[in-house]
Amino acid sequence: MRRVILFFSLLLATGVSAQHFQISSPDGRIQMEVRNEKTLSYSVVYKDKVLVADSPLGFEFKDEKPMQGNFALLNVPQAEARSESWIPVVKNKHEKVQLHWNEMTFNLEEKEGDRRRMDFVVRVYDEGVAFRYQLYGGRKIGNRQITKELTGFSLPADATGWAAKYKRNYTSSQESEFVKTRLNYLPADTVAGLPFLVEVDKQNYVAITEACIDDYPGFYIGKGNSAQKGNQVLATRLSPLPGEKEDGVKARFFEKMATPWRVILVGDHPGRFIETELIHGLNPPCAIEDTSWIKPGMCAWDHWWSGEVKMEMDVIKEYIDFAAEQGWPYMLIDWQWYGPYNKAHADITKPAPQLNMPEILEYARSKNVCCWLWLYCTDVNKNDSYKEAFALYEKWGIAGIKIDFMDRDDQEMVNWYHRIIKEAAKHKLMVNFHGAYKPDGIGRTYPNLLTREGVMGGEYSKFSKRVTPEHNVTLAFTRMLAGPMDYTPGGFLNVPMEGFKPKNPTTVPNSRCAELSKFVIYDSPLTVMCEHPKYVLGQPGADFLKIVPTVWDDTRFLDGYPGEYIVMTKRSGKQWFIGAMNNCMKRVVEIETSFLPAGEYEFEYWADAKNADKKPTEVSKKKVRFVAGKSLSIKMVSGGGYVGVFTPVK
């Protein structure tokens, strides 16, 4: 039963006006209250428990007074029940998306001074809450300049968060571990990336992130002052514009401007956040009229195997052959294909002298494979080179572009992303951003943006010991909540965690089955497989990589906990794939299979062999008959994993 609660109070007896408004989720379990008193604030309740206590809202501007309260309401806010359904162009999680929410808009104007206006829009879903501001032009003609967004998140000080910590220069590729930390132990100078998962207690979780970033900087979590006894306020930190200090200007605007949505996912288990489409739902519908050319799939990649690229004709053809042998649609030609990069003389329209691009592309066509091209962002931007280059790539028949090393999410860079995505769409080019900021759901509007990095992925095993089994499990509960991530899985030189050290060729510290599980668990409609062909073809698990999809008709979390283990199931057509990934502790997990429609199935699975703790490349593969509803026992070694596929028996 859907219900909307509106509570309005005037404390006339004390001579103080206070306006309190409460709006509930369609299922009634989540309430958000907005308070318009001396200051504007909000709180969030889940199942009658306050998860986010009274928290601040508003802005600070350059050469203006702060805008955070003393507002008059210009309207009588009315809660409206709304819903939306659509069929995604790229089925990242579901074949059809349905969202229901209750929405309320507050039209606010200051009671004195310049009487600046601000609208505040709230949506409450069954999965969480979202809110955004709309700002207007000022009396003085010209830009208004935001120096600080005052949005805060007041949470219990003893709650635990998973923080990806970055430097205060706000220039990074957003590649870090998500470290479990008590909120009151966060350093004062914290700049933590999103999504920010918080465990209030074992029955209550929130995850803070954002959606629909447009003409506005990305935001990070900082440590604010305590709002009240027992609580810790998490503050909003915005990326400054280039040339500005941390306390300087973050965004400029001169007329009506909407901020991104601030999103707080709410639930009783963090695994449920993986299933939601709320982030995509907060973005506009698809803006591309003809989407028939947007085709997700698996991709071979020529960068991983030697530590650096050997940009040679025979190497590129070897990877094209690899993709063809595996039945994959794509091969990615990485850096140096146009010679020196990030140089004034770099030219992204001219292949390096040793490469015959027409021959490469014709060879790929003969193998039913299409090519992607890597680009350095400065070479793309120089003299607006991307406009000429994208038109040329369309003539060549290039499938997509991988653009790298932006390492920023300030207002200017956010707008640059939008320009690139739109121009790529004009020329039927798909996009993969590396050196990138987190996803925000824009893939719904421009589904040619298939994936992006912004993750500490498999490549770190080349030069560090940071990519541990614990990290890999945690990513599914943290970074992946924002959207697709190009982790580049598929390392087949598997070794035990103990004794692992970076070397060439690159090894990975987990089992073969754990590596296979990333192709099921991690979201990435373009999944770039990292390994060299000679280490894959004919090896255990290569057959699974021929059949695993990169897009899904249904996605369900089954079991797990950040840093410990995760079990997911995803449907493609009538087949159900299952993937499990473990940390460094051996475990057996019993899984109910109620997700399967009634009937009998052929179940093919790849499991850690008995000696996989010592020889992680060893795999036990079997095919059995399986009746829906029967429990499934999954055994995993340290750093282990498991994958399987259920196919209905006709």
Side-chain angles (χ1 to χ4, degrees):
M1 177 174 130
R2 297 184 191 175
R3 60 191 180 96
V4 179
I5 300 173
L6 172 62
F7 176 66
F8 178 73
S9 66
L10 290 174
L11 304 180
L12 297 177
T14 62
V16 178
S17 293
Q19 297 167 318
H20 296 187
F21 298 85
Q22 190 181 91
I23 184 169
S24 294
S25 59
D27 65 7
R29 296 189 303 170
I30 301 173
Q31 291 85 39
M32 178 169 170
E33 183 171 304
V34 178
R35 299 174 184 85
N36 181 31
E37 300 177 332
K38 288 184 178 180
T39 58
L40 189 67
S41 63
Y42 78 98
S43 59
V44 179
V45 174
Y46 176 58
K47 294 182 179 179
D48 299 322
K49 181 180 176 69
V50 176
L51 299 191
V52 183
D54 199 37
S55 301
L57 298 165
F59 294 90
E60 292 181 2
F61 301 88
K62 184 176 181 179
D63 301 325
E64 296 183 37
K65 292 181 179 179
M67 192 176 184
Q68 57 186 335
N70 195 29
F71 292 116
L73 263 174
L74 302 181
N75 68 327
V76 179
Q78 299 292 324
E80 298 182 23
R82 296 189 177 182
S83 63
E84 187 178 19
S85 64
W86 73 93
I87 296 174
V89 174
V90 176
K91 299 181 296 181
N92 193 49
K93 296 183 181 182
H94 302 97
E95 61 184 337
K96 184 177 181 180
V97 179
Q98 290 184 311
L99 289 174
H100 305 279
W101 70 93
N102 292 319
E103 183 168 326
M104 188 180 288
T105 299
F106 301 83
N107 303 134
L108 304 163
E109 183 180 78
E110 291 176 319
K111 295 177 181 178
E112 55 188 34
D114 285 342
R115 296 183 181 273
R116 296 168 296 181
R117 279 193 58 191
M118 180 176 78
D119 297 336
F120 185 63
V121 184
V122 174
R123 291 183 177 183
V124 184
Y125 299 78
D126 291 341
E127 299 91 348
V129 304
F131 55 87
R132 75 190 311 181
Y133 308 88
Q134 185 163 270
L135 299 170
Y136 294 83
R139 290 180 61 210
K140 182 180 178 181
I141 297 172
N143 282 322
R144 297 180 71 189
Q145 302 182 90
I146 297 172
T147 56
K148 187 176 184 180
E149 182 181 326
L150 299 175
T151 305
F153 309 87
S154 180
L155 293 153
D158 59 356
T160 299
W162 280 262
K165 299 176 184 178
Y166 300 119
K167 296 179 180 178
R168 297 190 75 160
N169 62 9
Y170 298 89
T171 301
S172 80
S173 55
Q174 299 200 3
E175 299 170 5
S176 185
E177 300 91 342
F178 287 79
V179 180
K180 192 174 182 180
T181 311
R182 268 183 50 167
L183 299 189
N184 57 346
Y185 289 170
L186 289 170
D189 62 352
T190 292
V191 175
L194 302 183
F196 190 85
L197 175 67
V198 177
E199 179 181 274
V200 177
D201 55 46
K202 291 298 183 181
Q203 290 76 43
N204 296 283
Y205 294 82
V206 300
I208 302 168
T209 190
E210 61 182 329
C212 197
I213 313 172
D214 188 6
D215 196 24
Y216 200 84
F219 102 83
Y220 299 78
I221 291 294
K223 187 175 182 179
N225 297 321
S226 295
Q228 55 196 41
K229 186 177 180 181
N231 274 47
Q232 174 63 56
V233 172
L234 302 179
T236 294
R237 301 202 187 282
L238 301 177
S239 289
L241 283 163
E244 293 283 341
K245 295 181 179 179
E246 186 179 24
D247 60 355
V249 177
K250 310 304 192 308
R252 295 187 174 98
F253 67 101
F254 61 90
E255 58 184 3
K256 185 169 69 174
M257 179 189 73
T259 70
W261 292 95
R262 277 56 186 107
V263 180
I264 307 174
L265 299 176
V266 179
D268 58 11
H269 196 286
R272 300 301 168 202
F273 300 157
I274 299 172
E275 302 173 356
T276 183
E277 296 274 11
L278 195 153
I279 305 300
H280 280 97
L282 290 164
N283 283 262
C286 180
I288 302 173
E289 187 174 347
D290 174 21
T291 60
S292 60
W293 51 274
I294 301 174
K295 298 178 180 180
M298 290 275 285
C299 184
W301 179 40
D302 65 6
H303 176 58
W304 169 277
W305 66 279
S306 67
E308 291 299 335
V309 175
K310 287 188 175 180
M311 196 48 60
E312 300 169 356
M313 291 289 291
D314 59 342
V315 172
I316 293 173
K317 288 183 177 181
E318 182 181 20
Y319 279 85
I320 291 171
D321 290 341
F322 181 32
E325 172 69 21
Q326 289 291 107
W328 302 339
Y330 302 121
M331 184 265 166
L332 169 60
I333 305 174
D334 213 83
W335 56 359
Q336 300 185 58
W337 74 265
Y338 57 89
Y341 53 87
N342 194 26
K343 304 289 185 183
H345 61 273
D347 188 342
I348 62 174
T349 67
K350 295 180 181 178
Q354 71 271 25
L355 299 185
N356 184 327
M357 189 59 73
E359 181 182 335
I360 290 171
L361 297 176
E362 179 54 39
Y363 185 79
R365 278 191 287 271
S366 73
K367 299 284 187 172
N368 200 29
V369 173
C370 292
C371 293
W372 285 62
L373 297 177
W374 177 93
L375 301 165
Y376 200 100
C377 64
T378 57
D379 303 330
V380 172
N381 194 63
K382 182 190 64 182
N383 299 325
D384 301 328
S385 297
Y386 66 93
K387 295 181 179 179
E388 177 188 355
F390 291 1
L392 178 64
Y393 300 162
E394 182 180 17
K395 292 179 182 178
W396 285 357
I398 297 299
I401 49 175
K402 170 185 171 181
I403 306 180
D404 210 342
F405 290 102
M406 287 75 69
D407 295 344
R408 289 166 40 197
D409 61 352
D410 55 79
Q411 184 184 30
E412 291 180 0
M413 183 56 75
V414 166
N415 293 343
W416 189 84
Y417 273 54
H418 283 242
R419 288 199 299 275
I420 293 299
I421 297 166
K422 292 174 184 177
E423 189 69 20
K426 289 180 185 178
H427 298 287
K428 298 184 177 180
L429 293 171
M430 294 175 281
V431 179
N432 175 5
F433 283 128
H434 268 230
Y437 63 81
K438 67 190 174 300
D440 65 332
I442 194 177
R444 180 190 177 190
T445 312
Y446 290 96
N448 60 314
L449 176 57
L450 289 187
T451 192
R452 68 176 84 190
E453 196 179 25
V455 63
M456 196 175 86
E459 69 175 348
Y460 273 73
S461 291
K462 292 172 174 288
F463 46 80
S464 79
K465 295 183 178 181
R466 295 171 65 184
V467 180
T468 63
E470 287 74 13
H471 169 72
N472 290 330
V473 170
T474 301
L475 285 178
F477 296 92
T478 51
R479 161 61 180 83
M480 199 173 76
L481 301 182
M485 57 185 194
D486 189 17
Y487 176 101
T488 61
F492 265 39
L493 298 181
N494 313 99
V495 298
M497 188 67 206
E498 60 273 14
F500 165 77
K501 61 180 180 180
K503 64 178 184 178
N504 191 6
T506 304
T507 58
V508 289
N510 56 20
S511 78
R512 176 69 52 79
C513 287
E515 202 66 23
L516 295 178
S517 75
K518 296 172 186 176
F519 291 85
V520 177
I521 295 168
Y522 292 165
D523 291 335
S524 191
L526 175 75
T527 299
V528 179
M529 202 281 184
C530 65
E531 192 58 272
H532 188 282
K534 71 180 180 182
Y535 300 130
V536 178
L537 295 176
Q539 298 300 310
D543 50 351
F544 179 75
L545 298 183
K546 287 185 175 183
I547 63 172
V548 64
T550 65
V551 289
W552 306 94
D553 296 318
D554 198 1
T555 297
R556 301 189 192 182
F557 169 80
L558 297 179
D559 199 4
Y561 183 82
E564 294 186 3
Y565 70 99
I566 184 170
V567 187
M568 298 277 297
T569 184
K570 297 182 178 181
R571 180 174 63 84
S572 177
K574 293 184 178 181
Q575 289 184 313
W576 286 88
F577 287 74
I578 190 167
M581 188 191 304
N582 193 26
N583 66 2
C584 285
M585 182 180 295
K586 281 185 179 182
R587 76 180 70 241
V588 178
V589 183
E590 297 293 330
I591 297 296
E592 297 297 322
T593 60
S594 56
F595 58 88
L596 292 172
E600 192 175 7
Y601 292 80
E602 180 181 84
F603 180 47
E604 187 171 21
Y605 66 90
W606 293 254
D608 291 331
K610 290 182 178 180
N611 63 337
D613 54 343
K614 297 181 176 61
K615 294 184 178 180
T617 56
E618 296 293 310
V619 175
S620 174
K621 179 187 173 184
K622 292 183 181 179
K623 188 181 291 186
V624 298
R625 288 294 179 105
F626 193 95
V627 177
K630 180 182 176 182
S631 65
L632 179 66
S633 182
I634 296 176
K635 297 179 181 180
M636 294 181 285
V637 300
S638 170
Y642 184 100
V643 292
V645 56
F646 297 91
T647 304
V649 176
K650 295 181 180 179

